Amino acid sequence: MKFVALLIPFAILLSMVKGQLVPAMFIFGDSIVDVGNNNDLVTLVKANFPPYGRDFAHHEPTGRFCNGKLAIDIIAEGLGFTDHQPAYMSDKANGEMLLIGVNFASAASGYYNATAILYNTFSLSQQLENYKDYKNKLTAITGKSNTSSIISNGIHLISSGSSDFLQNYYINPLLFTSYTPNMFSDILIESYDNFIQNLYELGARRIGVTTLPPLGCLPAAITAFGHGSNQCVARLNNNAISFNNKLNHRSQRLKRRFSKLKLVVLDIYSALYTIITKPDENGFAEVRRACCGTGLLETSILCNQHSIGTCSNASQYVFWDSFHPTEAANKILATNLSNSGSSLIQP
């Protein structure tokens, strides 16, 4: 037994003792998974004020774009973590908290670096630099061998691409007059490919990446691009489906190239689309409007404590603000994503 224990790195033994299925989680991407990295940035895209967080612990806003927990929080709890991975830019990201991984995600970032530049947030390239910085800090705490073990056995999750389309391409004449949606998707896929290769070179071996959601069904998208209709915008959904097909194809190619890479595409499109098209079956009463304000366009600073019309019971709504799901919807999404990503926790 002692001999077996010696073969298991200390970091893995520690996670086993704590009841975690994996030693750490590392999160990259946009507002779907951002837990507060934008809080101290000079940007309009942040959520560290009421009513954000009103159903979270202590009813306090943290920078999460939700009334409560994100899907990533619920997934972490399901993996046995008693603490959520802290925002890397927060005061919590130090000492022993670094052992369980950290969250690098930044709202309004994407595979297209110019998207983050447009909103003064952390691009995926910068998130990768922060990841390198984190590795150095972790090595100083637990040593090179344990750091390598935490990185290779930890799960890396990426949620990106939505902001590239909704907060850049569709509203930016410099882009939509120069590239077709198909051409723009190709640019994003090349960036995704490069990001995965960089993560792999830095030691990551277990990676999950979410697809784009049904972009045309988000309340803000229907308001902005639906031409007065209350139905999902087919054009936007078709663009998302096309991107997702390319994401799946490129991911298969990456797995063939890197034999030690566990790379799983997590289908958030189907899960969210099912909730939206069958709300009654999933316990929801409202799909078109979000809970915050009018529910048609508000997000970030437009969703605030002075917003008129904010609902009293967010659990009846699929969307909290016009871009982001409620905690109630996130619970369903987390279950779906956990099931589809179960292979990431297998030896």
Side-chain angles (χ1 to χ4, degrees):
M1 186 67 181
K2 288 182 180 179
F3 176 70
V4 173
L6 286 172
L7 294 177
I8 303 175
F10 170 74
I12 306 302
L13 279 174
L14 185 62
S15 67
M16 291 167 64
V17 169
K18 289 183 175 181
Q20 298 163 197
L21 296 178
V22 292
M25 284 176 60
F26 308 97
I27 301 101
F28 305 85
D30 54 26
S31 57
I32 293 297
V33 289
D34 184 358
V35 295
N37 283 305
N38 283 12
N39 288 0
D40 295 323
L41 293 180
V42 180
T43 178
L44 296 176
V45 191
K46 56 176 67 179
N48 57 336
F49 45 82
Y52 287 103
R54 73 178 193 189
D55 299 314
F56 197 69
H58 310 299
H59 310 288
E60 292 178 354
T62 60
R64 289 167 169 81
F65 285 77
C66 188
N67 61 303
K69 294 176 183 177
L70 303 179
I72 199 71
D73 297 319
I74 300 163
I75 290 171
E77 292 168 5
L79 290 173
F81 290 97
T82 54
D83 290 300
H84 299 135
Q85 281 66 31
Y88 188 60
M89 305 310 293
S90 73
D91 294 335
K92 292 182 179 179
N94 60 64
E96 288 191 0
M97 279 296 285
L98 295 179
L99 294 173
I100 65 167
V102 288
N103 186 312
F104 302 96
S106 177
S109 68
Y111 292 119
Y112 195 64
N113 275 346
T115 300
I117 294 171
L118 196 61
Y119 295 94
N120 196 40
T121 61
F122 295 113
S123 65
L124 272 184
S125 294
Q126 183 57 55
Q127 290 177 39
L128 194 69
E129 291 304 310
N130 291 343
Y131 179 66
K132 294 175 183 177
D133 184 55
Y134 159 80
K135 280 188 66 180
N136 291 333
K137 291 181 180 178
L138 188 63
T139 301
I141 294 172
T142 192
K144 191 171 183 179
S145 177
N146 278 317
T147 294
S148 177
S149 178
I150 291 171
I151 295 296
S152 62
N153 289 286
I155 292 179
H156 296 66
L157 294 175
I158 307 159
S159 168
S160 197
S162 296
S163 295
D164 291 321
F165 278 101
L166 292 173
Q167 292 170 273
N168 199 354
Y169 178 79
Y170 290 135
I171 61 173
N172 187 344
L174 293 175
L175 288 179
F176 67 67
T177 59
S178 301
Y179 307 105
T180 64
N182 191 50
M183 291 165 65
F184 189 62
S185 284
D186 287 340
I187 294 172
L188 302 187
I189 290 297
E190 290 307 318
S191 175
Y192 161 70
D193 186 297
N194 188 55
F195 188 75
I196 296 298
Q197 289 190 59
N198 283 329
L199 272 184
Y200 187 85
E201 288 169 5
L202 290 168
R205 293 295 180 267
R206 302 171 185 229
I207 304 174
V209 56
T210 63
T211 62
L212 287 184
L215 298 176
C217 294
L218 306 186
I222 296 175
T223 302
F225 307 108
H227 302 294
S229 167
N230 285 319
Q231 303 302 311
C232 295
V233 184
R235 173 174 64 94
L236 273 60
N237 279 353
N238 289 336
N239 292 163
I241 291 170
S242 175
F243 174 88
N244 292 342
N245 289 336
K246 293 179 181 181
L247 184 74
N248 273 294
H249 183 266
R250 184 58 62 94
S251 297
Q252 292 300 322
R253 200 160 93 181
L254 284 163
K255 284 197 291 185
R256 288 194 296 269
R257 180 175 177 184
F258 302 106
S259 60
K260 294 182 180 179
L261 174 63
K262 278 191 176 183
L263 178 59
V264 177
V265 176
L266 307 170
D267 182 12
I268 197 172
Y269 185 104
S270 298
L272 186 54
Y273 190 75
T274 298
I275 295 172
I276 291 168
T277 54
K278 299 177 180 178
D280 294 345
E281 295 180 19
N282 290 283
F284 297 103
E286 180 58 62
V287 174
R288 169 63 182 99
R289 294 174 182 267
C291 172
C292 192
T294 65
L296 298 176
L297 203 58
E298 294 92 339
T299 190
S300 192
I301 61 171
L302 295 178
C303 171
N304 57 65
Q305 57 189 339
H306 302 297
S307 298
I308 298 173
T310 299
C311 76
S312 58
N313 184 6
S315 65
Q316 296 179 339
Y317 288 68
V318 173
F319 293 98
W320 163 247
D321 66 17
S322 65
F323 280 89
H324 307 98
T326 56
E327 179 180 306
N330 281 332
K331 288 179 179 177
I332 299 173
L333 294 175
T335 298
N336 277 275
L337 295 176
S338 294
N339 290 339
S340 58
S342 59
S343 63
L344 289 174
I345 63 175
Q346 296 169 1

